């Protein structure tokens, strides 16, 4: 009975984690991958998605042999459904609620919302930096800085989109899902840069099933192409992959600078010129939230032993 209650609690917690990831994906500038790192499910999420894409590939390529179904089921069983199902359900709920409630709030109070996100992501850099499992050498810092410069340049771009073109909708779905699994890059921000953010949010809010189906198919295609690569990198080059992810997250902070142009396609950064005290306070609040979570997680993983034989100092 206790195990059942523990399992239910774990599923509820994973659903809550998923809702935070989904909510982040509806907000331009903040990355669902970053939130997945913060809540501690990033590598398991990538691993599970990798098994699912492998199962789909096996089912398609081995259909002629008659063994594809069995092999695909075996591969799919490795995905970790106890995590993926509640996480996926939470992501859908968080995405829908965020698109309806939070996205307009961010649009109307961009400076203050971005201040919170900037603090969240800045503090989150500690996660890939410390979880790489090895000591950083000078060459790793050079690589991270180079990647940060590239991410800074990418988030400076402003493109145009065409919501009436099915290929554009498919492509935007593929790009957005890649950003979901790559910490630091926001899928919503890239949609905004491509001119596809408002059409996609409108399609979700208006239940435009044709648009949503095209976008979802693009997401699946992007997932199949990108997740396997990322999973392989994490398994075979874990340290270097997290060095690169640290650089991506650092460079992408540019997209969250609170003082930007009023035009969503204007990528110009401005000097602080208004609301500085409240903006700074919200930045510190966002930073403190992640810092508190990290400290609590560290204490849980490394409890302090008290008693007669406890080491002092």
């Amino acid at each position: 009975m206790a195990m059942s209650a523990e399992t239910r609690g774990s599923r509820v917690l994973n659903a809550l984690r998923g809702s935070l990831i989904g909510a982040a994906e509806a907000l331009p500038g903040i990355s669902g991958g970053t939130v997945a790192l913060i809540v501690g499910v990033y590598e398991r999420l990538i691993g599970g998605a990798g098994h699912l894409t492998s199962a789909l590939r096996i089912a398609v390529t081995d259909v002629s042999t008659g063994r594809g179904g069995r092999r695909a089921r075996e591969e799919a069983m490795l995905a970790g459904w106890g995590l993926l199902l509640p996480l996926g359900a939470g992501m859908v709920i968080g995405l829908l609620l965020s698109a309806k409630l939070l996205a307009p709030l961010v649009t109307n109070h961009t400076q203050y919302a971005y201040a919170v996100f900037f603090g969240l992501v800045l503090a989150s850099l500690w996660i890939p930096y410390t979880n790489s499992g090895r000591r950083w050498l000078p060459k790793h810092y050079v690589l991270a800085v180079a990647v940060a410069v590239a991410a800074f340049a990418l988030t400076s771009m402003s493109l145009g989109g065409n919501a009436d073109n099915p290929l554009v909708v498919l492509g935007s779905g593929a790009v957005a899902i890649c950003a979901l699994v790559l910490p630091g890059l926001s899928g919503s921000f890239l949609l905004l840069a491509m001119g596809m953010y408002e059409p996609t949010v409108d399609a979700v809010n208006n239940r435009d099933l044709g648009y949503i189906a095209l976008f979802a198919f693009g997401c699946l295609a992007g997932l199949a192409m990108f997740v396997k690569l990322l999973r392989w990198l994490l398994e075979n080059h874990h340290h270097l992959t997290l060095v690169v992810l640290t650089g991506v997250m650092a460079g992408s902070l540019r997209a969250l600078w609170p003082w930007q142009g009023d035009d969503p396609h204007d990528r110009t950064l401005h000097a602080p010129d208004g609301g500085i005290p409240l903006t700074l306070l919200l930045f510190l609040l966002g930073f403190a939230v992640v810092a508190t979570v990290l400290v609590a997680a560290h204490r849980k993983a490394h409890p302090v032993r008290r008693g007669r034989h406890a080491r002092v100092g």
Side-chain angles (χ1 to χ4, degrees), residues 15-282:
L16 178 60
R17 288 165 169 163
S19 69
L20 294 175
I21 297 170
E25 277 304 300
L27 304 176
I30 187 166
S31 165
T34 299
V35 176
L37 267 175
I38 295 172
V39 299
V41 298
Y42 179 74
E43 294 193 33
R44 286 184 292 162
L45 178 60
I46 296 301
H51 285 298
L52 289 181
T53 55
S54 294
L56 181 61
R57 177 186 57 80
I58 292 170
V60 172
T61 57
D62 290 1
V63 67
S64 60
T65 66
R67 296 178 300 175
R70 180 178 60 81
R71 291 185 59 213
R73 285 193 298 272
E74 291 174 353
E75 184 69 23
M77 290 299 294
L78 300 174
W81 293 102
L83 171 70
L84 291 185
L85 285 178
L87 202 68
M91 286 175 66
V92 172
I93 295 172
L95 180 63
L96 293 174
L97 290 178
S98 184
K100 196 73 174 179
L101 303 175
L102 295 183
L105 184 64
V106 173
T107 301
N108 296 328
H109 303 282
T110 304
Q111 176 177 325
Y112 299 130
Y114 276 18
V116 176
F117 298 154
F118 195 99
L120 288 170
V121 176
L122 183 63
S124 301
L125 289 175
W126 186 251
I127 300 173
Y129 179 75
T130 57
N131 286 355
S132 64
R134 287 169 49 192
R135 182 168 172 263
W136 281 46
L137 301 176
K139 63 181 181 181
H140 299 136
Y141 288 99
V142 172
L143 175 60
V145 169
V147 172
V149 171
F152 187 95
L154 177 62
T155 53
S156 302
M157 295 170 57
S158 180
L159 308 172
N162 184 356
D164 298 325
N165 189 328
L167 292 178
V168 173
V169 177
L170 286 169
S172 62
V175 170
I177 199 67
C178 289
L180 167 64
V181 298
L182 191 61
L185 288 181
S186 161
S188 292
F189 173 79
L190 293 181
L191 288 177
L192 187 64
M194 294 184 292
M196 297 297 292
Y197 177 72
E198 291 185 6
T200 302
V201 171
D202 289 342
V204 171
N205 289 334
N206 297 327
R207 308 299 187 268
D208 185 344
L209 298 182
Y211 184 104
I212 293 173
L214 275 174
F215 189 85
F217 187 80
C219 289
L220 289 175
L223 198 64
M225 291 184 293
F226 187 72
V227 169
K228 290 290 290 183
L229 173 62
L230 188 54
R231 178 188 168 198
W232 182 86
L233 289 172
L234 285 169
E235 290 178 351
N236 296 279
H237 303 282
H238 187 268
H239 177 65
L240 281 179
T241 301
L242 289 183
V243 167
V244 170
L245 292 182
T246 303
V248 170
M249 290 175 64
S252 299
L253 282 170
R254 183 234 177 277
L256 294 173
W257 180 248
W259 292 277
Q260 303 198 32
D262 294 331
D263 184 346
H265 299 290
D266 178 10
R267 303 264 63 91
T268 304
L269 300 182
H270 300 285
D273 59 359
I276 296 177
L278 180 56
T279 302
L280 181 59
L281 178 63
L282 291 172

Side-chain angles (χ1 to χ4, degrees), residues 299 303-312:
R299 289 181 175 176
V304 178
R305 296 183 179 179
R306 300 185 182 278
R308 182 180 302 175
H309 301 291
R311 179 177 295 178
V312 180

